[in-house]
Amino acid sequence: MCDLLRINTDRVGMIKDGKSRFSINGKPIYHFLGTSIFSEYTVVHVGQVAKINPRAPLDKVLVPLLMLLNPKKGQSVAIFGLGVVGLASAEGAKVSSASRIIGVDLNPSRFEQEFVKKFGVTEFVNPKDYNKPIQEVIVEMTGGGVDRSVECTGSIQAMISAFECVQDGWEVAVLVGVPNKDDAFKTHPVNLLNEKTLKGTFFGNYKPRSDIPAVVEKYMNKELELDKFITHTVPFSEINKAFELMLAGEGLRCVIRMDE
């Protein structure tokens, strides 16, 4: 989050001079978010590099975004979007012994996929199944609202629903998804006056150079399960298949093998 390395979607080159370090047939290949990937060798700013345990398997330590919802034992959690980020949040809630973990997703196939249940989701809700706002449904389900919610879709309506489905009085909604630049968050001010808390996070509020190596060490010490996030592996030549799996909601992490 520092000024030097803050991710900028318009940054297509290196921080120092704004230029790319790669080209093909004399034409520059621009960076994405200040980083170049899909290459055997790359050039990045030193601040964007985190050194991890050399014994860690690189095809497994695809560090998921672990949300720190901090629910107390027995509390209820609603998670909007059951992709990698949402399921990592569910895993965190499960570890914290949340009593109810309600998954909200528009893709009905998500509810039938066995790997989703491994992350601790106890109930599934599809907004398409109701003729009223899903936040009202969750409030009714829980007798007043959940203790914690997290939004992982980027949908502005999901963000509003995540905020409005938490209980009045000191309960927390966390926004993770990135909305369209023209979206506006609209809710009645009474939701804030009733002491609900709305907060956001950027990449899980990690400090990459120190926190990512620490998470990798937790994996190496078997304190974290990262393998179950990986549902598919494809060679680089089939990278489009990976995107198709993602868009169809049929997988979580798809490992692209550069050596095949």
Side-chain angles (χ1 to χ4, degrees):
M1 295 297 290
C2 67
D3 291 336
L4 175 65
L5 297 174
R6 182 184 294 273
I7 287 181
N8 182 343
T9 55
D10 297 324
R11 181 181 291 160
V12 296
M14 295 293 290
I15 294 172
K16 183 178 181 180
D17 57 11
K19 297 180 180 179
S20 170
R21 298 297 187 265
F22 299 91
S23 64
I24 184 169
N25 297 327
K27 296 182 179 180
I29 299 175
Y30 295 107
H31 297 216
F32 175 67
L33 299 179
T35 306
S36 293
I37 55 176
F38 296 144
S39 57
E40 186 174 0
Y41 299 96
T42 191
V43 181
V44 296
H45 189 282
V46 65
Q48 295 175 316
V49 178
K51 184 177 181 179
I52 65 172
N53 189 324
R55 295 184 294 107
L58 296 181
D59 60 337
K60 298 290 177 63
V61 290
L62 307 171
V63 183
L65 181 60
L66 297 173
M67 284 300 309
L68 300 179
L69 290 176
N70 295 322
K72 296 178 181 178
K73 182 177 180 179
Q75 288 190 324
S76 56
V77 176
I79 297 171
F80 289 73
L82 298 178
V84 171
V85 178
L87 292 177
S89 300
E91 177 90 345
K94 181 178 72 171
V95 170
S96 298
S97 299
S99 62
R100 301 178 71 177
I101 303 175
I102 303 169
V104 183
D105 203 293
L106 295 173
N107 185 349
S109 69
R110 277 291 193 215
F111 310 150
E112 300 166 1
Q113 295 165 334
E114 284 301 317
F115 65 77
V116 171
K117 299 174 184 177
K118 296 179 182 178
F119 293 88
V121 178
T122 59
E123 301 163 69
F124 301 100
V125 179
N126 187 339
K128 292 181 180 179
D129 294 337
Y130 301 90
N131 56 9
K132 57 183 175 181
I134 196 62
Q135 56 265 44
E136 294 181 14
V137 174
I138 294 174
V139 168
E140 291 176 4
M141 287 173 59
T142 55
V146 292
D147 299 295
R148 297 286 188 273
S149 73
V150 57
E151 182 283 324
C152 312
T153 69
S155 160
I156 195 67
Q157 186 54 57
M159 293 180 178
I160 295 169
S161 297
F163 178 51
E164 294 184 353
C165 79
V166 298
Q167 291 190 48
D168 292 340
W170 311 296
E171 307 307 353
V172 182
V174 182
L175 306 185
V176 180
V178 180
N180 184 287
K181 64 183 180 65
D182 296 322
D183 285 337
F185 187 97
K186 298 179 181 180
T187 190
H188 197 284
V190 74
N191 288 310
L192 293 167
L193 294 173
N194 285 343
E195 303 199 31
K196 295 182 180 182
T197 298
L198 176 67
K199 62 185 298 185
T201 184
F202 194 65
F203 281 91
N205 197 27
Y206 274 140
K207 294 181 179 178
R209 297 189 69 181
S210 57
D211 291 350
I212 288 179
V215 172
V216 170
E217 286 305 310
K218 286 182 178 294
Y219 169 75
M220 297 296 287
N221 295 330
K222 302 188 184 303
E223 298 174 45
L224 281 179
E225 290 185 65
L226 300 185
D227 299 54
K228 63 185 179 183
F229 283 93
I230 301 171
T231 54
H232 299 81
T233 300
V234 300
F236 185 75
S237 60
E238 297 181 17
I239 187 172
N240 286 341
K241 181 179 179 181
F243 284 108
E244 291 167 4
L245 289 167
M246 177 183 70
L247 293 172
E250 295 178 6
L252 294 178
R253 289 284 193 194
C254 186
V255 176
I256 311 296
R257 297 201 63 89
M258 304 291 283
D259 57 352
E260 293 183 12

